[in-house]
Amino acid sequence: MRKILRIESLDCGYKNIIVKDISFTGEEGDIICILGSNGSGKSTLIKTLAGLLVPHKGQVMVNNENIRSWSWQKRAKNIAYIPQYFNSTFQFTGLDIVVMGRTSYLRLGLAPKESDYEIAKKAMERLNISHLQDRIYSSMSGGERQLVKIAQALAQEAKILLMDEPTNNLDFGNQITMLNYLKELSEMGILIIMATHFPDQALSYGTKALLVSQGEGKLVINPRENIVEEDLEKLYDLQIKILDYHINNENRKVCVPF
Amino acid sequence: MKEFKINKKNYIKYFFLLLVFIFLVSFRIGRYPVPIKLLFRVIGSRFLPVSRNWDSTIETVIFQIRMPRIIASVFVGASLSLAGAVYQGVFKNPLVSPDILGVSSGAGFGAALGILLSFNKIGIQLSAFSFGILSVLLVYYFSSKIKESPILSLLIVGVLIGSAFTSLTSLIKYMADSNNKLPTISFWLMGGLSDLVMRDLEKIWIPIIFGILPLYLLRWRINILSLDEDEAKTLGLDTRKLRLVIIVSSTLITAFAVSISGLVGWVGLLIPHLARQIVGPDYEVLLPTSMLLGASYLLAIDNISRAITSVEIPLGIMTSLIGVPIFLLILLNKRPG
């Protein structure tokens, strides 16, 4: 798979450095899970990758170009970002929100055209949320809004999707549905980077995991095979056991505290 | 969904027709009613060879009295509503209006100062314009220095700066000569379009080009500015640049509108709300709708204010007297969510 993202010894934070010396690469189809306790700097890192925070040191390279040198428009064509919290003051419909993903393709002074609406509708179809087109975004449930934002990211046609705790407001069933959607997207060649509080997600879906604690990050490639209990114990300050189980002849893993 | 969008765009046509209707009817209202047929013939005679079998006072009434006032109403109503709608979007707050950002009280002070210092009419307009802009700059500067809750801080600073200018205006009124300057100041503060002449309208193209045009071109993007800042950036907008252009443009047209009309309250808050209830929040449709509705509304109210009694009621009084109950009705019937 083609390598599209390269992070080299990145130090990031607001006024003070929160996480330092982060290095990893991302390829098409990767799902990179960022794990860490509250306040460990997961969101800070994601925002830096999105270009919203200026790194203290190091670079975010997309297709061998530093994103600092890009306009917001060019960044948007390459990187989509879904924050942890989002809503709208005004009563936009689902389709209104999804078509906003086309912003970076519009010429100045123009509104989205029929073809942009078509792309937006296709993105919603792909996620099976066409019924949300005319619903009011601000009165949707957290999970519905999350899906609308993902459809927006699809309409944006960016190769990299950054998500800050995508399963946060979802019930158990919707969490799994969401993760399966993300897996489908990764199979389409999208690089997904997500911050999450659930190590199980890294164990069952991640192709890479970045474990962030005490300001430093440790990269684990193929977390299902390579994450060890000590990694997670250090992360959450808990005693943790990783258990194997089999479903449909497939080896799976789950982590439990004890 | 496509039909839905087209339906909304149809509203623009209807509101345009409404405006044309009120525009024509406005010539009929007043002590010298001008029937619509006659109006067309008189206007046509300026371009075509038509036999002139009407009294020359009719021409004076149409071109010197009615026309400047009608055009000014349309322009001021459209500008205030446009600016109100835009402010609400970029400040992500449906309660923001030109009044709340202090433009009106700043402009009011500027006008009062100009009258006190015996400026001529242009000088008074210029002074109103400058203080209107100054007031928004102060509000924007101080609220950007407050770290917490940007929306709330904007409103609070707006109220503070506004009340400072209102107090200064009161001080000027207190010092003003009560025989001729005080009434002039009071009259200006109540708002009105009665002493406009054709020459005042020649300046109107300036704010149209520098204010209305950029807003109209950027209107769809205001949707995105009304979302979270980080979302707007990662969707591809240079928010800082865009916000600056939009705020400067809308402040320019508001200050300009207020400088020719005096304080005409409530239009900038009421009309965008009403328009949003009818066509929804998408600025692509909302912005033209707000402008057309605002123009029709102010023109209609100006007609009422000069027709209802033999002595004309100041426009600013009428816009609040009529605007407040309408606004209450909107709030009481608001869609949930």
Side-chain angles (χ1 to χ4, degrees), chain A residues 2-244:
Chain A
R2 201 164 64 89
K3 195 182 287 180
I4 43 179
L5 178 73
R6 199 174 79 237
I7 311 295
E8 269 171 16
S9 50
L10 192 71
D11 288 2
C12 51
Y14 292 82
K15 273 179 188 155
N16 304 313
I17 294 173
I18 298 175
V19 271
K20 58 176 189 289
D21 207 23
I22 303 288
S23 299
F24 65 91
T25 58
E27 291 163 21
E28 287 178 346
D30 263 342
I31 297 181
I32 305 177
C33 297
I34 304 176
L35 293 171
S37 56
N38 285 325
S40 59
K42 298 189 297 294
S43 299
T44 311
L45 181 57
I46 294 244
K47 280 190 180 182
T48 311
L49 300 182
L52 293 164
L53 289 173
V54 183
H56 286 253
K57 206 185 109 231
Q59 289 152 357
V60 178
M61 305 289 284
V62 175
N63 296 332
N64 290 321
E65 287 178 55
N66 188 344
I67 64 163
R68 290 299 318 157
S69 65
W70 287 359
S71 65
W72 284 111
Q73 190 179 12
K74 185 159 184 197
R75 286 180 205 176
K77 285 180 182 168
N78 289 278
I79 308 168
Y81 163 73
I82 302 181
Q84 201 168 348
Y85 305 103
F86 42 83
N87 206 334
S88 158
T89 314
F90 300 106
Q91 301 184 325
F92 292 111
T93 63
L95 187 62
D96 283 339
I97 296 288
V98 175
V99 86
M100 289 180 189
R102 303 299 300 163
T103 309
S104 54
Y105 299 93
L106 302 177
R107 301 241 313 273
L108 196 73
L110 291 182
K113 292 190 297 278
E114 203 51 50
S115 57
D116 295 305
Y117 279 96
E118 285 307 316
I119 292 172
K121 279 187 239 176
K122 277 214 187 83
M124 295 183 89
E125 261 164 46
R126 188 175 285 153
L127 297 175
N128 293 323
I129 52 165
S130 296
H131 60 286
L132 297 179
Q133 279 186 15
D134 297 341
R135 289 259 313 275
I136 301 297
Y137 177 68
S138 54
S139 43
M140 289 178 192
S141 73
E144 289 170 329
R145 272 210 295 274
Q146 186 73 252
L147 287 170
V148 168
K149 284 294 288 182
I150 294 180
Q152 185 188 57
L154 282 182
Q156 199 170 331
E157 294 177 340
K159 272 283 179 200
I160 302 173
L161 173 57
L162 306 172
M163 304 180 86
D164 202 346
E165 300 182 15
T167 56
N168 224 11
N169 298 308
L170 307 183
D171 66 52
F172 188 66
N174 276 324
Q175 288 189 13
I176 304 305
T177 315
M178 168 74 59
L179 290 163
N180 289 334
Y181 280 139
L182 294 183
K183 190 146 191 235
E184 269 177 49
L185 298 187
S186 81
E187 280 157 9
M188 287 160 47
I190 293 177
L191 161 61
I192 294 170
I193 300 178
M194 62 181 202
T196 174
H197 281 305
F198 302 99
D200 286 344
Q201 294 178 356
L203 289 173
S204 23
Y205 294 89
T207 58
K208 290 175 185 169
L210 186 67
L211 314 176
V212 184
S213 71
Q214 284 143 20
E216 285 176 34
K218 178 187 171 186
L219 184 72
V220 179
I221 292 168
N222 194 2
R224 189 182 303 186
E225 305 302 327
N226 301 328
I227 279 192
V228 289
E229 285 152 359
E230 293 78 61
D231 287 332
L232 298 177
E233 289 180 343
K234 187 180 161 210
L235 223 51
Y236 301 109
D237 201 15
L238 273 177
Q239 285 190 295
I240 285 175
K241 204 110 191 112
I242 295 178
L243 306 176
D244 290 280

Side-chain angles (χ1 to χ4, degrees), chain B residues 60-102:
Chain B
T60 315
V61 169
I62 292 177
F63 291 109
Q64 305 302 320
I65 301 171
R66 298 275 154 82
M67 193 71 100
R69 189 164 179 167
I70 287 169
I71 290 178
S73 301
V74 167
F75 172 75
V76 170
S79 297
L80 292 176
S81 310
L82 168 69
V86 169
Y87 281 136
Q88 288 169 13
V90 291
F91 293 121
K92 315 174 212 305
N93 187 335
L95 289 177
V96 172
S97 72
D99 322 23
I100 284 168
L101 289 177

Side-chain angles (χ1 to χ4, degrees), chain B residues 82 129 203-216 245-253:
Chain B
L82 168 69
F129 181 78
K203 296 170 290 193
I204 278 179
W205 62 270
I206 302 170
I208 288 177
I209 290 178
F210 291 101
I212 296 177
L213 201 67
L215 292 178
Y216 196 81
V245 170
I246 287 175
I247 290 172
V248 168
S249 306
S250 38
T251 304
L252 205 74
I253 56 173

Side-chain angles (χ1 to χ4, degrees), chain B residues 303-323:
Chain B
N303 287 339
I304 295 171
S305 79
R306 66 195 169 89
I308 200 167
T309 52
S310 56
V311 183
E312 187 176 322
I313 300 172
L315 187 59
I317 294 177
M318 290 301 288
T319 53
S320 341
L321 278 181
I322 296 176

